């Protein structure tokens, strides 16, 4: 599913932002953000150290993923945004995740990407009622993205999850299919 | 209603001999209304449930009055990166509602569970937004309300909002009245 959107940053740079599938041919662009400690700090995974691991990730996780999109500028991947699906009684719920190369931080790109997902995912997945995101309490940048994108902060789940060996608090955000779009 | 002396309330593992008493609450729609269980319909089903679910469960206890089963407390730890938390649930036979029994049972269960599972840091209870009675129980037992999760999951066919409550091992001790 592709969508394009011009994004203006505070520095008056014009970005031609789009989504597309991430493929093995994108491996070099993938490695730019996947090897960066700053980027992976709040991810569940450690920075990648070799191309082969990166290629395996693309083949084994990205290609079969229910909803994985590369965030692109001028069709070059600079990050990724994902929605996971659930089944049974939990099928109404999907979890949002995203990652962006640090060079592009601070320009409103992820906020714009999240809004693009919010505009299309509920039509693509009619069974989806709730898009949620769980963010580390210290990840203020990500919390701001979700607030600006129109998500509601529902609460802090204390000692919710083990992240890189430590039990951490997570902030729960959600956007319902019935919520107003910003 | 006669007042019940809460010192008669104990917790213990389930036994097959509890089947008739188990059916009294597990066979009652009013009790199972907010549980994920299907209401049981026979002693055979009660025996099966005790054998297959209760006895093998990581932490399920019968709430007893004079050692007769009148309800349950159920705590289920997750695994992997979620292993620091456990899901908390409970139910009591309707005949025994309104005496503070569930609150007492929850207060007894919480510290015992943390002794048995020292690696679990968090108990969480997801309470249906309409389940006022259970909200009162967990609040009186010292759980902290963290927020409301909107349209979080289906419960028996209905898209449901859940209030999430937690009790951390670091929240102990509970002050007994």
């Amino acid at each position: 599913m592709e969508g394009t959107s011009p994004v203006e940053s505070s520095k008056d740079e014009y970005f031609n932002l789009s989504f597309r599938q991430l493929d093995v041919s994108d491996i070099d662009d993938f490695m730019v953000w996947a090897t960066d400690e700053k980027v992976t700090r709040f991810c569940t995974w450690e920075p990648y150290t070799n191309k082969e691991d990166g290629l395996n990730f693309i083949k084994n996780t990205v290609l079969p993923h229910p909803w994985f999109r590369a965030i692109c500028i001028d069709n070059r991947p600079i990050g990724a945004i994902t929605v996971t699906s659930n089944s049974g009684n939990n099928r109404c719920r999907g979890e949002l995740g995203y990652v962006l190369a640090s060079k592009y931080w601070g320009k409103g790109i992820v906020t714009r990407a999240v809004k693009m997902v919010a505009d299309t995912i509920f039509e693509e997945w009619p069974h989806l009622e709730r898009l949620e995101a769980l963010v580390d309490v210290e990840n203020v940048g990500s919390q701001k993205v979700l607030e600006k994108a129109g998500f509601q902060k529902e609460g802090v789940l204390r000692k919710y999850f083990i992240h890189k060996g430590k039990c951490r608090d997570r902030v729960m955000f959600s956007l319902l299919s019935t919520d107003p779009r910003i | 209603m006669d007042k019940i002396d809460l010192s008669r309330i104990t917790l213990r593992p389930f036994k097959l001999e509890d089947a008739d008493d188990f059916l009294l609450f597990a066979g009652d729609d009013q009790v199972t209304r907010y549980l994920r269980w299907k209401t049981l319909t026979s002693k055979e089903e009660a025996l099966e449930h005790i054998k297959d679910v209760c006895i093998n469960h990581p932490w399920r206890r019968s709430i007893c009055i004079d050692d007769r089963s009148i309800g349950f407390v159920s705590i289920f730890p997750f695994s992997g990166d979620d292993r620091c938390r456990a899901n908390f649930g409970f139910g009591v036979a309707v005949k025994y509602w309104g005496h503070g029994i569930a609150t007492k049972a929850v207060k007894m269960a919480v510290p015992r569970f943390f002794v048995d599972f020292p690696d679990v840091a968090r108990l969480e209870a997801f309470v249906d937004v309409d389940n006022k009675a259970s909200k009162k129980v967990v609040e009186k037992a010292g759980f902290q309300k963290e927020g409301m999760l909107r349209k979080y999951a289906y419960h028996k066919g209905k898209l449901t909002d859940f209030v999430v409550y937690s009790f951390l091992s670091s929240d102990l001790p509970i002050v007994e009245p």
Side-chain angles (χ1 to χ4, degrees):
Chain A
M1 170 78 197
E2 279 150 37
T4 60
S5 170
V7 175
E8 290 184 28
S9 81
S10 54
K11 293 184 180 156
D12 285 324
E13 288 169 86
Y14 178 94
F15 292 114
N16 183 16
L17 202 68
S18 64
F19 289 163
R20 64 166 172 76
Q21 297 283 8
L22 187 78
D23 195 56
V24 287
S25 54
D26 295 316
I27 184 65
D28 291 327
D29 288 333
F30 171 81
M31 293 300 277
V32 168
W33 75 77
T35 56
D36 185 347
E37 260 181 4
K38 284 204 303 292
V39 171
T40 66
R41 180 180 171 198
F42 294 112
C43 296
T44 53
W45 39 278
E46 295 297 339
Y48 281 73
T49 54
N50 66 74
K51 253 192 194 179
E52 199 186 320
D53 288 346
L55 284 166
N56 285 334
F57 173 75
I58 296 175
K59 278 184 242 167
N60 302 329
T61 302
V62 175
L63 297 181
H65 197 283
W67 208 95
F68 188 115
R69 300 287 181 270
I71 300 170
C72 296
I73 285 183
D74 300 328
N75 210 40
R76 289 284 296 275
I78 58 161
I81 188 160
T82 59
V83 182
T84 58
S85 61
N86 290 294
S87 58
N89 282 331
N90 300 317
R91 65 193 181 278
C92 51
R93 195 162 87 238
E95 188 180 342
L96 179 74
Y98 42 77
V99 70
L100 190 78
S102 55
K103 170 178 171 183
Y104 294 97
W105 288 6
K107 302 176 198 297
I109 290 174
V110 178
T111 303
R112 189 62 214 154
V114 170
K115 287 182 180 181
M116 283 162 68
V117 172
D119 285 342
T120 58
I121 194 75
F122 296 111
E123 277 74 45
E124 270 191 62
W125 288 0
H127 59 279
L128 191 71
E129 306 276 352
R130 169 190 174 88
L131 190 59
E132 65 180 23
L134 290 97
V135 184
D136 193 287
V137 276
E138 287 182 14
N139 192 351
V140 176
S142 203
Q143 290 169 39
K144 289 210 181 104
V145 163
L146 294 165
E147 282 160 3
K148 285 191 206 156
F151 279 62
Q152 253 192 54
K153 175 175 170 172
E154 289 174 334
V156 177
L157 308 180
R158 305 177 299 156
K159 300 230 177 113
Y160 189 71
F161 177 76
I162 295 177
H163 179 254
K164 292 176 178 168
K166 257 187 87 186
C167 205
R168 311 272 312 162
D169 297 350
R170 309 281 272 185
V171 187
M172 174 70 92
F173 287 87
S174 72
L175 184 76
L176 302 188
S177 60
T178 47
D179 282 345
R181 290 287 173 277
I182 292 188
Chain B
M1 246 191 310
D2 291 334
K3 202 167 171 253
I4 291 183
D5 175 7
L6 292 177
S7 66
R8 294 161 65 195
I9 302 300
T10 55
L11 297 181
R12 60 154 172 80
F14 277 98
K15 321 183 271 208
L16 291 174
E17 293 74 22
D18 293 324
D20 289 315
D21 292 333
F22 192 81
L23 188 60
L24 286 178
F25 61 85
D28 186 342
D29 280 338
Q30 282 188 275
V31 175
T32 62
R33 180 178 176 192
Y34 293 112
L35 299 177
R36 284 177 283 189
W37 308 8
K38 255 180 62 191
T39 313
L40 301 188
T41 58
S42 69
K43 182 170 178 177
E44 286 67 43
E45 282 187 9
L47 278 165
E48 234 178 73
H49 193 110
I50 294 175
K51 203 160 44 92
D52 297 339
V53 182
C54 299
I55 289 176
N56 293 324
H57 196 281
W59 208 98
R60 180 172 286 187
R61 297 289 180 269
S62 168
I63 301 172
C64 294
I65 191 163
D66 306 329
D67 204 44
R68 292 287 294 271
S69 181
I70 60 161
F72 74 96
V73 178
S74 203
I75 310 179
F76 196 98
F78 295 105
S79 56
D81 288 338
D82 300 322
R83 67 192 179 277
C84 57
R85 69 178 193 276
N87 185 268
F88 191 98
F90 58 90
V92 171
V94 173
K95 174 176 173 185
Y96 292 98
W97 288 7
H99 294 276
I101 290 173
T103 305
K104 172 89 201 278
V106 169
K107 283 180 168 178
M108 288 166 71
V110 168
R112 290 185 198 189
F113 173 83
F114 284 127
V115 166
D116 292 343
F117 284 85
D119 291 338
V120 174
R122 168 190 175 88
L123 295 178
E124 59 183 20
F126 282 62
V127 184
D128 190 304
V129 71
D130 295 332
N131 189 354
K132 296 198 192 97
S134 285
K135 287 189 212 170
K136 288 206 185 105
V137 168
V138 295
E139 284 166 9
K140 284 190 204 158
F143 277 67
Q144 260 190 53
K145 176 173 171 175
E146 291 175 334
M148 191 178 82
L149 308 183
R150 307 172 300 154
K151 295 191 180 169
Y152 189 72
Y154 286 97
H155 174 73
K156 294 179 174 169
K158 190 164 160 257
L159 190 58
T160 302
D161 298 339
F162 285 93
V163 184
V164 57
Y165 291 87
S166 69
F167 198 112
L168 303 188
S169 52
S170 51
D171 292 340
L172 287 171
I174 311 170
V175 177
E176 290 291 351

